[in-house]
């Protein structure tokens, strides 16, 4: 583009919300760039560099023109029959339209006609002047600021004492540079210029005058002691964290490592403009408290990075990311060590107080905690979870002693909600239950299950460690799903306040990944039956099917997304879901369907299977493949199909019985030619009722043999 230069726009503000800063920075830069491109002021391939620090949002955009190119515009006016009279002279309607465009009757000879007859339309070719950068940037800035993902808007007064504007935080400066020239725009009561501000305490000069758009980041770093780029600042913090951790070692001489927490790293990056990582420590006596408590209080309350040894065990040292670089950092280090001490002391106090009562002694207290206004207390919910858990353990064929462990874990699973530690740090529910259960002398299996019954808590989270935890986790999630669906609290669109999709996906994952062989229908029916009839609607009229079936459909929808993540086509997943009620078997079946689909015979057999299904559905009488009469097979093609089926079905059935689904499906490939010949030469709906019934029975037997692993008709393209 001729005369194109790089553009820099910066909005200088008071401290922005740290958790929202990354999104605000990206939205500000992308919004400006997209709107400038839409006005042809920036090239489609313009490079956009976002900048975001605690006190600024900025964008650097390459190749921006001072003025967009003029455009030829074909303006549609009106039908020719309306705009011109019989002599071809302009009508008043046409003259009025031309006047609205700044034209007069002199433009009539320039009009173009398109179309024929009644469809003939008048057009005029004009040239639309391209937008100037000042006007285009003003529009882009207004629209971008209006669309920013602001979590909460603040209203504040301008310096005149009268005007009120709204933004995420008060804005105090606006920079707009096109090359070395200021672009005259305004926003939030501010006029654009070339001056900005650096670090609150460590800037060399204030204000900082930017010579041109390209010097922005360098000038801020050198004169303002600010790393403007969020990504550069984040990388610098990460580098300093690793370097500082590597300078200290554990008892075995291995280097320590900072806790890996991307969200914490993002938040700290949004809190500092010139990061300086410092090493601090706390009293070793606090290490007697579970490390999860100490780590959480340091991260959540102080934004510190705890240091772990090679085994992942917490040490008494931590890293703080300071925003200043004093020559002697001892005062900063001592201040942070002093601040963290009461936080850790609180955690120690809660831990010691909680252990004075057993989890079992807290069970009656669950009756006083409301779970949901329509579903009763946590105590009532716990009893339903116990019922579901026992039924699952029984379905698995577990011995009585193991069922007792399941019941014990379900009884105690929610009791840590009543402890001081979990009251202060809800994120520790389950984790503290494990520690307190172990202190009370409960079985290790029960203690682990108390922690693990919340798992998986998010996508990619680990699953329960033992069978007791698996059963209680399933029971807990199923109780939630049945209860919420039963009172009509279904997720809608992007709203899912009770995380029911996450619970459902958790059920799918637990069943699929732990080889826990259970009937999904039985699970759901047992879960529904654990609720009193007067508490939930077990046959919702709005759905037209029983509640267990509504949940079955909901789980299968999650299963489609889950298995699609492993590269399985949706048609394959639906094919298996149609015949498989055991989620733990899905993976093997899908791999078998994948292998079958690659065979040259697959599509023909799938199409034939679909045809068989349609024929059987249209049959006026019930069809049973077991009543096939051999001596009523007349046509050579139907005799050949029956013989092929008799030879191949036992092979497929034997492989199926051994769980070798791939071999079972591959064996069916030999049926392609007999099936093709059958449909080419045999009339299924013969006039003779006995002959017709026999052929339908043959097709029913064929369908049963083909659809044991999956409904192959779903694979037909």
């Amino acid at each position: 583009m001729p005369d194109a230069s790089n553009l820099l726009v910066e909005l200088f503000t008071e401290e922005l919300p740290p958790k929202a800063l990354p999104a605000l920075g990206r939205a500000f830069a992308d919004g400006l760039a997209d709107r400038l491109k839409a006005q042809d002021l920036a090239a489609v391939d313009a490079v956009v560099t976002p900048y975001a620090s605690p006190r600024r949002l900025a964008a650097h955009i390459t190749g921006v023109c001072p003025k967009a190119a003029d455009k030829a515009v074909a303006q549609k006016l009106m039908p020719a029959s309306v705009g011109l009279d019989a002599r071809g002279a302009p009508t008043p309607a046409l003259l009025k339209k031309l006047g609205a465009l700044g034209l007069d009757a002199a433009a009539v000879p320039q009009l173009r006609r398109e179309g024929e007859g009644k469809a003939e339309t008048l057009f005029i070719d004009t040239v639309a002047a391209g937008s100037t950068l000042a006007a285009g940037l003003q529009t882009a800035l207004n629209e971008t600021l209006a669309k920013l993902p602001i979590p909460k808007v603040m209203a504040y007064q301008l310096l005149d004492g009268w005007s009120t504007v709204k933004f995420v935080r008060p804005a105090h400066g606006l920079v707009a540079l096109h090359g070395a020239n200021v672009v005259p725009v305004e926003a939030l009561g501010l006029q654009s210029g070339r001056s900005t501000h650096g670090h609150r305490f460590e800037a060399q000069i204030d204000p900082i005058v930017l010579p041109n758009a390209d010097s922005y980041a360098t000038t801020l770093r050198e004169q303002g002691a600010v790393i403007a780029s969020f990504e550069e600042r984040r990388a610098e913090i990460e580098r300093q964290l690793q370097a500082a951790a590597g300078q200290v070692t554990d008892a075995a001489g291995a280097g320590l490592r900072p806790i890996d927490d991307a969200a914490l790293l993002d938040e700290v990056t949004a809190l500092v403009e010139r990061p300086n990582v410092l090493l601090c420590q706390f009293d070793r006596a606090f290490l007697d408290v579970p490390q999860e408590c100490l780590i959480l209080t340091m991260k959540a309350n102080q934004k510190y990075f705890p240091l772990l040894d090679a085994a992942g065990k917490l040490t008494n040292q931590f890293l703080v990311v300071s925003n200043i670089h004093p020559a002697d950092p001892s005062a900063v280090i001592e201040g942070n060590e002093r601040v963290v001490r009461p936080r850790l002391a609180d955690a120690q106090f809660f831990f010691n107080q909680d252990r004075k009562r057993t989890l079992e002694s807290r069970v009656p207290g669950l009756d006083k905690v409301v779970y949901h206004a329509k579903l009763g207390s946590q105590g009532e919910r716990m009893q339903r979870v116990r019922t579901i858990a026992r039924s699952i353990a029984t379905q698995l064929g577990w011995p009585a002693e193991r069922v007792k462990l399941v019941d014990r874990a379900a009884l105690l699973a929610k009791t840590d909600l009543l402890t001081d530690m979990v009251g202060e740090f809800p994120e520790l529910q389950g984790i503290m239950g494990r520690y307190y259960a172990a202190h009370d002398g409960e079985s290790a299996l029960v203690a682990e299950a108390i922690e693990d019954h919340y798992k998986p808590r998010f996508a990619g989270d680990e699953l329960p460690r033992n069978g007791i935890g698996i059963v209680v986790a399933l029971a807990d999630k199923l109780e939630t799903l049945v209860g919420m669906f039963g009172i009509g609290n279904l997720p809608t669109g992007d709203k899912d306040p009770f995380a029911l999709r996450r619970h459902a996906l958790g059920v799918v994952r637990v069943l699929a990944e732990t080889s826990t062989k259970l009937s999904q229908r039985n699970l759901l029916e047992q879960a529904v039956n654990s609720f009193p009839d007067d508490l939930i609607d077990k046959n919702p009229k709005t759905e037209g099917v029983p509640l267990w079936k509504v949940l079955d459909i909901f789980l299968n929808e999650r299963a489609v997304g889950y298995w699609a993540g492993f590269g399985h086509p949706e048609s394959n997943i639906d094919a298996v879901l149609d015949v498989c009620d055991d989620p733990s078997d899905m993976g093997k079946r899908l791999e078998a369907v994948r292998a079958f689909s690659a065979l040259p015979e697959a599509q023909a057999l799938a199409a034939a299977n679909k045809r068989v299904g349609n024929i059987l559905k249209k049959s006026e009488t019930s069809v049973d493949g077991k009543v096939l009469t051999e001596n009523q097979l007349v046509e050579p093609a139907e005799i050949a199909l029956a013989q092929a089926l008799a030879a191949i079905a036992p092979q497929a059935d034997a492989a199926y019985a051994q769980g070798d689904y791939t071999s079972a499906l591959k064996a069916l490939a030999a049926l392609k030619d007999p099936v093709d010949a059958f449909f080419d030469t045999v009339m299924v709906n013969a006039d003779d009722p006995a002959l017709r019934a026999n052929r339908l029975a043959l097709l029913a037997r064929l369908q049963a043999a083909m659809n044991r692993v999956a409904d192959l008709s779903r694979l037909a393209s």
Side-chain angles (χ1 to χ4, degrees):
M1 293 182 181
D3 301 321
S5 296
N6 298 337
L7 176 72
L8 183 282
V9 180
E10 182 207 62
L11 188 64
F12 183 77
T13 70
E14 294 182 13
E15 278 73 8
L16 296 162
K19 292 184 178 179
L21 184 62
L24 287 171
R26 288 191 297 269
F28 183 77
D30 291 343
L32 287 176
D34 290 345
R35 288 166 174 83
L36 290 175
K37 291 175 184 178
Q39 300 176 76
D40 293 330
L41 287 166
V44 175
D45 59 353
V47 178
V48 183
T49 305
Y51 295 99
S53 81
R55 298 198 296 159
R56 74 199 73 238
L57 299 173
H60 181 273
I61 306 167
T62 63
V64 176
C65 291
K67 181 179 181 297
D70 296 343
K71 275 188 176 181
V73 178
Q75 178 74 41
K76 182 178 179 180
L77 299 176
M78 60 185 63
S81 58
V82 176
L84 301 173
D85 60 19
R87 297 172 300 162
T91 64
L94 177 58
L95 293 174
K96 184 177 180 181
K97 180 70 173 178
L98 290 173
L101 297 175
L103 303 172
D104 55 24
V108 173
Q110 302 171 26
L111 299 185
R112 262 188 316 109
R113 299 188 184 198
E114 288 189 10
E116 296 180 357
K118 293 182 179 180
E120 189 176 30
T121 305
L122 296 176
F123 289 82
I124 186 167
D125 295 323
T126 60
V127 176
S131 174
T132 63
L133 178 56
L137 181 57
Q138 186 66 68
T139 300
L141 193 55
N142 293 342
E143 293 178 357
T144 297
L145 293 179
K147 296 290 185 180
L148 286 181
I150 297 174
K152 190 174 183 179
V153 174
M154 176 185 289
Y156 60 95
Q157 284 188 331
L158 299 180
L159 294 177
D160 62 13
W162 296 98
S163 305
T164 298
V165 295
K166 293 181 179 181
F167 194 53
V168 59
R169 290 292 185 272
H172 297 298
L174 177 64
V175 173
L177 290 176
H178 184 235
N181 301 316
V182 174
V183 183
V185 292
E186 62 179 20
L188 305 174
L190 302 168
Q191 298 293 328
S192 60
R194 63 171 69 247
S195 297
T196 185
H197 304 274
H199 195 284
R200 278 191 183 275
F201 311 110
E202 300 190 348
Q204 294 181 9
I205 57 175
D206 187 68
I208 297 170
V209 178
L210 300 171
N212 55 63
D214 293 342
S215 66
Y216 176 71
T218 303
T219 304
L220 268 181
R221 183 188 289 267
E222 294 176 353
Q223 299 181 18
V226 169
I227 301 176
S229 167
F230 186 91
E231 294 304 324
E232 286 185 28
R233 209 162 57 253
R234 190 181 193 274
E236 174 61 16
I237 293 173
E238 194 165 18
R239 184 194 67 77
Q240 290 189 35
L241 288 172
Q242 297 297 335
Q247 293 176 3
V248 288
T249 58
D250 58 17
L256 304 185
R257 60 180 176 86
I259 194 162
D260 185 12
D261 190 322
L264 176 62
L265 183 57
D266 282 344
E267 188 172 2
V268 170
T269 303
L271 288 169
V272 299
E273 291 191 310
R274 190 188 184 196
N276 180 27
V277 173
L278 302 172
L279 178 66
C280 307
Q281 61 182 1
F282 57 82
D283 192 332
R284 289 182 181 274
F286 289 123
L287 292 176
D288 292 336
V289 179
Q291 70 176 41
E292 293 89 345
C293 308
L294 305 180
I295 290 172
L296 183 59
T297 192
M298 283 192 283
K299 290 197 311 179
N301 295 322
Q302 303 303 135
K303 314 306 176 190
Y304 296 157
F305 288 83
L307 289 177
L308 310 179
D309 63 18
K313 187 176 180 181
L314 179 67
T315 69
N316 71 320
Q317 301 187 78
F318 62 93
L319 299 174
V320 58
V321 183
S322 173
N323 194 36
I324 55 177
H325 285 66
D328 180 7
S330 59
V332 178
I333 293 172
E334 291 170 5
N336 282 281
E337 291 176 345
R338 184 173 61 252
V339 167
V340 79
R341 192 173 298 117
R343 294 287 190 181
L344 302 183
D346 286 345
Q348 185 181 53
F349 174 78
F350 293 146
F351 183 57
N352 292 334
Q353 287 297 110
D354 287 341
R355 290 186 297 172
K356 292 178 180 179
R357 289 184 59 191
T358 64
L359 291 181
E360 186 172 21
S361 71
R362 300 178 187 272
V363 171
L366 292 174
D367 292 327
K368 301 175 184 178
V369 179
V370 175
Y371 167 57
H372 190 281
K374 295 182 179 180
L375 296 172
S377 67
Q378 282 284 4
E380 292 171 306
R381 179 172 186 254
M382 176 265 293
Q383 295 297 345
R384 294 192 293 267
V385 172
R386 290 177 71 188
T387 300
I388 299 170
R390 287 195 300 267
S391 69
I392 295 173
T394 302
Q395 186 178 334
L396 288 169
W398 285 0
E401 287 302 315
R402 197 163 173 80
V403 175
K404 286 182 180 178
L405 291 176
V406 167
D407 187 58
R408 184 71 176 173
L411 173 71
L412 302 177
K414 301 298 181 183
T415 51
D416 68 347
L417 296 176
L418 303 178
T419 63
D420 291 338
M421 186 72 82
V422 174
E424 180 70 16
F425 300 111
E427 302 94 330
L428 295 177
Q429 57 186 300
I431 295 172
M432 296 314 302
R434 172 171 63 84
Y435 280 107
Y436 295 146
H439 178 265
D440 295 345
E442 299 289 346
S443 161
L445 293 175
V446 170
E448 289 178 352
I450 290 173
E451 177 181 359
D452 290 352
H453 85 280
Y454 289 103
K455 298 176 181 177
R457 294 157 296 182
F458 50 84
D461 190 21
E462 60 185 11
L463 299 180
R465 286 165 281 191
N466 63 61
I468 309 298
I470 288 171
V471 169
V472 180
L474 286 172
D476 182 68
K477 290 170 176 57
L478 289 170
E479 193 280 339
T480 299
L481 289 166
V482 172
M484 291 301 168
F485 270 71
I487 61 174
N489 281 342
L490 282 67
T492 56
D494 60 349
K495 295 181 179 179
D496 187 8
F498 299 100
L500 301 183
R501 294 187 181 97
R502 175 168 59 81
H503 282 292
L505 183 57
V507 172
V508 170
R509 279 196 62 201
V510 169
L511 291 174
E513 297 179 26
T514 62
S515 300
T516 305
K517 298 188 72 63
L518 290 164
S519 162
Q520 184 166 298
R521 174 172 180 169
N522 288 348
L523 271 180
L524 294 172
E525 288 181 333
Q526 290 167 359
V528 170
N529 291 335
S530 71
F531 284 75
D533 291 341
D534 60 348
L535 193 63
I536 62 171
D537 186 358
K538 297 184 179 180
N539 291 283
K541 295 179 182 178
T542 55
E543 303 296 331
V545 292
L547 180 58
W548 77 263
K549 187 60 180 177
V550 175
L551 288 164
D552 186 58
I553 295 170
F554 187 68
L555 286 178
N556 286 346
E557 288 172 349
R558 308 281 81 72
V560 170
Y562 171 76
W563 289 110
F566 291 92
H568 295 288
E570 188 171 333
S571 58
N572 291 15
I573 301 169
D574 289 336
V576 175
L577 285 173
D578 280 354
V579 302
C580 179
D581 188 43
D582 177 5
S584 70
D585 220 22
M586 284 285 296
K588 287 174 62 178
R589 290 173 184 254
L590 283 168
E591 289 301 328
V593 172
R594 192 203 298 271
F596 174 79
S597 299
L599 298 177
E601 300 89 350
Q603 271 304 308
L605 285 173
N609 190 288
K610 186 174 183 178
R611 184 174 180 182
V612 168
N614 291 335
I615 292 172
L616 294 177
K617 283 179 185 177
K618 294 177 182 178
S619 174
E620 297 177 355
T621 59
S622 60
V623 181
D624 187 352
K626 296 179 181 179
V627 299
L628 179 66
T629 305
E630 300 289 344
N631 59 15
Q632 288 189 352
L633 298 171
V634 179
E635 298 290 341
E638 63 181 324
I639 295 172
L641 177 57
Q643 291 174 345
L645 192 57
I648 293 169
Q651 301 173 25
D653 291 344
Y656 180 89
Q658 294 175 0
D660 186 358
Y661 302 134
T662 300
S663 296
L665 286 179
K666 285 184 175 180
L668 299 175
L671 291 173
K672 177 185 178 299
D673 291 340
V675 168
D676 288 347
F678 176 87
F679 282 118
D680 286 343
T681 61
V682 177
M683 175 66 70
V684 177
N685 291 316
D687 294 334
D688 184 342
L691 195 58
R692 180 170 63 251
N694 202 53
R695 289 173 178 171
L696 289 172
L698 176 60
L699 293 182
R701 182 176 293 185
L702 174 65
Q703 185 186 53
M706 295 178 71
N707 287 353
R708 296 195 70 184
V709 176
D711 181 357
L712 299 186
S713 66
R714 289 274 200 167
L715 308 182
S717 58

